[in-house]
């Protein structure tokens, strides 16, 4: 299946989604299990680990790599948000502590960013500016670099960088407004 | 209220960043004359940006 996809069969991508999702979840659960109170989670590490596990460096051509990361970012977002919701709902544990993602957005070192709040803010951004919403999803939940994001979106690294700075400020301002209201 | 076009936000945000904070407010007021929503949005974004840049660890991650 993976080889069919790397050989350019686009339908195979559709069939692959559950496989990628399963692998990402397995890896994520392992990270979650070792969660400490101050635990931070690197989306980058998870997505790249899944990539190497599923495809490896040898078979992948860049176009497929970009597609893989595009899909993985969406799936990773779902996994992280579900996990944060489960934790928030779990009253038996030692209190509610949202998983803190330390990746490119993190605004305040003391507080980090609540994944659920970020997911909602990103949904608001995406509703207004779909392309930039996608960019944030790739960068933040997919943990992609500027260059990788540019490859997936078909835009230059300079454009990614420029839009990223604006989108990030938009999200932080939106989160601050929500927190204040 | 319609949201400002992304192109406007992007251009004005980066232009504002290129200015000294001292002259930024007056510059924004001029550029956003008659568009109070756009001005408020940009001011909030610039505050958020400066706030994030002010803390060293997040500054580092922001430049990743």
């Amino acid at each position: 299946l993976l080889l069919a996809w790397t050989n350019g069969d686009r339908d195979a991508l559709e069939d692959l989604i559950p496989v990628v999702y399963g692998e990402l979840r397995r890896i994520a659960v392992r990270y979650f299990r070792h969660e400490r109170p101050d635990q931070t989670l690197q989306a980058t590490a998870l997505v790249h680990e899944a990539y190497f596990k599923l495809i490896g460096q040898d078979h992948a051509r860049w176009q497929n790599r970009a597609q893989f990361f595009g899909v993985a970012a969406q799936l990773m977002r779902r996994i992280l948000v579900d996990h944060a919701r489960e934790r928030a709902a779990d009253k038996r544990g030692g209190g509610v502590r949202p998983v803190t993602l330390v990746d490119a957005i993190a605004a305040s070192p003391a507080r980090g960013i609540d994944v659920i709040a970020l997911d909602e803010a990103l949904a608001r951004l995406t509703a207004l500016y779909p392309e930039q919403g996608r960019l944030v999803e790739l960068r933040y939940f997919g943990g992609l670099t500027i260059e990788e994001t540019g490859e997936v979106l078909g835009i230059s690294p300079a454009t990614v960088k420029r839009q990223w700075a604006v989108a990030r400020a938009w999200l932080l301002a939106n989160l601050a407004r929500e927190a204040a209201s | 209220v319609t949201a400002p076009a992304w192109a406007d936000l992007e251009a004005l945000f980066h232009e504002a960043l290129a200015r000294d904070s001292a002259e930024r407010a007056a510059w924004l007021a001029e550029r956003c004359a008659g568009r109070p929503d756009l001005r408020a949005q940009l001011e909030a974004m610039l505050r958020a940006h400066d706030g994030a840049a002010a803390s060293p660890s997040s500054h580092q991650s922001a430049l990743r």
Side-chain angles (χ1 to χ4, degrees), chain A residues 1-24:
Chain A
L1 201 58
L2 282 161
L3 277 175
W5 178 43
T6 49
N7 288 332
D9 179 356
R10 286 192 166 251
D11 291 339
L13 182 63
E14 226 20 52
D15 302 330
L16 262 178
I17 287 174
V19 179
V20 176
Y21 181 82
E23 187 56 41
L24 280 173

Side-chain angles (χ1 to χ4, degrees), chain A residues 106-107 109 129 132 162-163 166 170, chain B residues 4 6 10 14 41 52 57-58:
Chain A
Y129 311 109
Q132 287 72 30
R162 202 175 147 81
Q163 297 198 354
V166 184
W170 192 98
Chain B
W6 177 266
E10 188 180 310
H14 282 289
Q41 175 66 43
S57 71
S58 66

Side-chain angles (χ1 to χ4, degrees), chain A:
Chain A
L1 201 58
L2 282 161
L3 277 175
W5 178 43
T6 49
N7 288 332
D9 179 356
R10 286 192 166 251
D11 291 339
L13 182 63
E14 226 20 52
D15 302 330
L16 262 178
I17 287 174
V19 179
V20 176
Y21 181 82
E23 187 56 41
L24 280 173
R25 246 203 84 79
R26 258 193 302 284
I27 295 169
V29 161
R30 204 184 65 227
Y31 276 75
F32 293 150
R33 216 178 4 245
H34 298 295
E35 228 168 0
R36 299 185 309 274
D38 63 340
Q39 178 68 24
T40 55
L41 186 64
Q42 297 274 4
T44 314
L46 266 67
V47 170
H48 283 79
E49 185 175 335
Y51 177 79
F52 285 115
K53 181 102 192 275
L54 287 170
I55 297 178
Q57 266 170 316
D58 297 342
H59 300 135
R61 289 194 303 254
W62 176 250
Q63 180 58 31
N64 296 306
R65 196 173 129 86
Q67 279 181 335
F68 175 88
F69 284 138
V71 171
Q74 271 178 318
L75 298 175
M76 203 60 228
R77 179 178 178 185
R78 202 195 299 164
I79 290 167
L80 291 172
V81 171
D82 286 350
H83 177 71
R85 288 226 168 87
E86 277 164 30
R87 282 178 66 96
D90 182 10
K91 302 222 163 58
R92 291 164 306 157
V96 177
R97 252 185 239 272
V99 178
T100 307
L101 271 167
V102 175
D103 260 349
I105 283 185
S108 134
R111 201 180 127 262
I113 284 186
D114 180 337
V115 173
I116 298 172
L118 178 71
D119 178 61
E120 288 165 359
L122 179 53
R124 290 189 288 272
L125 175 71
T126 307
L128 294 173
Y129 311 109
E131 288 168 43
Q132 287 72 30
R134 182 92 179 102
L135 185 150
V136 171
E137 188 176 63
L138 292 168
R139 284 281 283 141
Y140 190 62
F141 286 101
L144 300 203
T145 64
I146 300 260
E147 287 73 22
E148 287 166 340
T149 305
E151 284 293 333
V152 175
L153 297 176
I155 56 182
S156 74
T159 303
V160 173
K161 216 168 177 174
R162 202 175 147 81
Q163 297 198 354
W164 168 243
V166 184
R168 183 174 168 278
W170 192 98
L171 283 170
L172 291 174
N174 195 273
L175 284 165
R177 191 178 316 143
E178 286 294 312
S181 67

